[in-house]
Amino acid sequence: MEPAAGATATLPAPLTSLVGRDAEVREAGRLLDSGGRLVSLVGPAGCGKTRVAIAAGAAAPGPVRFVDLSTMDGQEPAGFVLDAFGVARRPDLDEFETLLEALSSAAPDGAPLLLVLDNCERAAAEVAGLAGRLLGVHPKLQLLVTSRQALGVPGEAVLAVDPLDGDTALRLFETRMFERTGRPLAAGHRPAAAAICAALDGLPLAVELAAARAALLSVPEVRRLLADRFRVLADAKTEGPEHHRTLRAALDWSYELLSPDKQALLRQLAVFHGGWEAQAAAILPAYRPELIPALADRSLLSSDGYRGRMLQTVAAYAAARLAEHPREAGAALDAHAAFYLDLAERAAAGIRGPEQRTWLRTLTLEQDNLRAALARLAARPGRGEDADLRMAAAMAPFQHFTGGYFQGRHWLSEALERRPDAPAPARVAASSAAATLAMLACDYPAAAALAHQALPLAADRGPLLTLLGSVERERARYAQSRSHLEEARQLYRKAADAWGEGRVTQLAGAAAWLSGDLDGAAALLAQSLTAFRDLADAESVASSLTHLGAVAHFRGDQPAARRYLADALDRFTELEFPEGVAWAQDLLGRVDLAGGDLPSASSRLRASLTIHRRVGDRWRSASVLEALAECRRRAGDPAHAAALLGAADVVRREIAAPTPACEQPARAATDARVRAALPAAGFERAYRFGARTPIETLLNLTGAAALTPATTA
């Protein structure tokens, strides 16, 4: 009898080398050598299970038989294996007994026999039944199987065959490119090749297909085309069964083995980006609790019971399948958007308090889902729609924490422009959030305009007045700042809003020390520290400590300042709050400068400046540049100091905010001493050079020779 079509009883001879699977081959061999009767290689489509099985089989000491079950369609597995062996049926034996006899004859001396069964997912339950029976009556038989799910047979050892890591996937890509072209991968194309491998999740099949395409096109072109990965990676290989030749076919194979309810859930899970929590998946129309583990068992997703995720390639496939069902897609996307709108609004309410760390971790993890939900809400037509406004406003506190001022402003400005007819409460909240982020980005005119526009419509004027107080503080208009903040404090007190009153008290304390009223600042900040400790608001506690450190520094009590600021820095670092870390490092640098520790002062101030500039805080960037100028002056480099002063003044003119009152004496002293150390023409030349030179360039200049007349001309 001829072997069944698509099946073979001998190990295939691969046409290419196996790359990056030494560990899996060794582990499979170890499991078999240690007496394992059934070893299952389990992993997602395209991860290279067959190649690992062939390599492990080739290393086996005894006879090996290989059967590909991918073409088994409705047949009994014992009969299919017999056909693969080319063994005729016997009238006196059933198919199982005939198979036993064939296996025994394959190892006539009683040596162990390894039977490799490839692609068992096609009929996992039937193969599991056959495996159990064979192992029960053939003591010398070992089974090595590949499947996208474990068989669940007692004694089964499951070896996960995961996607390749980044370096190994890139090595595979380079190897296949070389095999096809005879040329090594160009050094300039390595970043694009690495990006291709990452986008394809390190799946060997996908990486090999991409390398084959890149040999015909180019690496950058393949990277560009990966937006439609299933088209660009189609028909790039010619050998092997269909589901080993194209990425789409490999995933079709897995998908078609699913029941309709599992197919529907897999499709709908594509609405998530970057993973999902268990409670988020539960909002999908197709969700049933038992389906998530079932899909995980089939290597289509991973789940630890709390959070699930799909490989990017599987997610792209599921999204393509979902697009074939428009009504289902709409329902799933709407459910996703509603869930994350609710999450964002609950986070905005809870981020100021004892659950602050929890909410920050959650929002950090869910950023991709939140962006996708906002995009869905923004696409909704209709007058009076406000969901996208609410979402953008709810995300603003998180944007503050993470330094995403510009992104948050962009979301809010687009939403406000898109929804001119939204209900007043939603527009006021969005305007207030946009004004806050504008102030943090030092766009004071925009912040003030947004706040003043919203004030007449606001049911609660406290937050807007607080914001206006902050704007005027940074403009050094301290009397106006105090007036706004005091009005806000009275409103918060009347409303019994303990957090609002604590916040405005803290900001009033900040305005006081910046204006030079150190005693008044100390009293206000002590009150705010007590309030926020009672409220268990970790960020606000750290901020109050920072301001108290500033008061101690400007009073000349550097040991007390260092204690406050070191405590604040530890708290901000734990929260991963860039604005707070930058503030604490800024002030600790000044403490070091006051103590004469120039290396530490310079290091801290540079670290602070990097963060301030990254988040867009130009107001503090200018102050740090002035402090760094004093560091350079003391280091004997007055020309560099003059250039840094020029850069600081450019920033201050751009934002129309002068040096804070408490820092003006130090700025004036630095300016005078630098001028005294340089000829008038030399000072002006260096100052103008700093005013027109990128700050990164200025910071990298060292030594007086770096600012020669030729350089600064």
Side-chain angles (χ1 to χ4, degrees), residues 612-685:
H612 282 314
R613 296 186 68 235
R614 187 179 76 232
V615 301
D617 187 346
R618 291 175 290 167
W619 179 62
R620 290 313 301 167
S621 293
S623 287
V624 176
L625 286 168
E626 290 167 345
L628 279 169
E630 177 62 14
C631 282
R632 297 311 304 154
R633 184 198 70 78
R634 294 192 193 185
D637 193 354
H640 197 178
L644 291 167
L645 291 174
D649 286 349
V650 167
V651 175
R652 294 209 180 280
R653 286 194 294 272
E654 287 174 349
I655 64 175
T659 301
C662 65
E663 297 173 5
Q664 286 178 4
R667 163 64 200 251
T670 298
D671 190 279
R673 290 164 181 160
V674 171
R675 287 178 182 274
L678 292 170
F683 177 89
E684 291 301 325
R685 187 166 54 243

Side-chain angles (χ1 to χ4, degrees), residues 447-589:
L450 284 162
H452 283 299
Q453 288 168 14
L455 266 175
L457 302 174
D460 179 5
R461 293 164 49 88
L464 291 166
L465 290 167
T466 302
L467 172 66
L468 287 168
S470 295
V471 169
E472 300 303 345
R473 177 196 69 231
E474 297 198 1
R475 285 169 154 174
R477 300 171 181 174
Y478 302 115
Q480 295 96 315
S481 176
R482 282 193 295 270
S483 175
H484 288 309
L485 295 173
E486 182 55 34
E487 185 179 353
R489 179 156 47 175
Q490 295 304 321
L491 291 172
Y492 286 130
R493 184 169 294 170
K494 183 177 180 180
D497 183 342
W499 189 90
E501 186 174 354
R503 186 65 163 176
V504 79
T505 301
Q506 180 192 85
L507 295 173
W513 73 258
L514 286 163
S515 73
D517 179 8
L518 301 180
D519 292 340
L524 290 166
L525 293 166
Q527 292 175 34
S528 73
L529 180 61
T530 299
F532 287 126
R533 280 177 168 158
D534 290 343
L535 293 166
D537 184 331
E539 180 273 321
S540 296
V541 166
S543 291
S544 293
L545 290 168
T546 301
H547 293 305
L548 285 166
V551 171
H553 165 65
F554 285 104
R555 279 176 164 172
D557 187 352
Q558 307 309 330
R562 189 177 298 279
R563 287 194 300 273
Y564 281 125
L565 294 168
D567 188 0
L569 179 59
D570 287 344
R571 293 169 186 264
F572 285 136
T573 301
E574 182 185 355
L575 290 169
E576 300 182 9
F577 182 29
E579 178 190 320
V581 170
W583 258 106
Q585 289 282 41
D586 172 351
L587 290 163
L588 280 166

Side-chain angles (χ1 to χ4, degrees), residues 95-112:
E95 289 182 336
F96 179 77
E97 291 168 334
T98 305
L99 177 58
L100 272 178
E101 185 173 279
L103 292 171
S104 298
S105 65
D109 58 355

Side-chain angles (χ1 to χ4, degrees), residues 202-217:
L203 286 170
L205 172 62
V207 171
E208 293 195 3
L209 293 170
R213 273 288 179 256
L216 298 173
L217 302 173

Side-chain angles (χ1 to χ4, degrees), residues 380-416:
R380 286 182 179 173
R383 291 173 58 86
E385 178 64 54
D386 68 352
D388 53 336
L389 271 178
R390 290 161 50 203
M391 180 99 178
M395 286 298 295
F398 179 68
Q399 302 293 353
H400 179 191
F401 268 101
T402 58
Y405 310 153
F406 295 103
Q407 181 185 67
R409 289 185 71 189
H410 175 70
W411 288 351
L412 286 157
S413 64
E414 284 199 336
L416 285 164

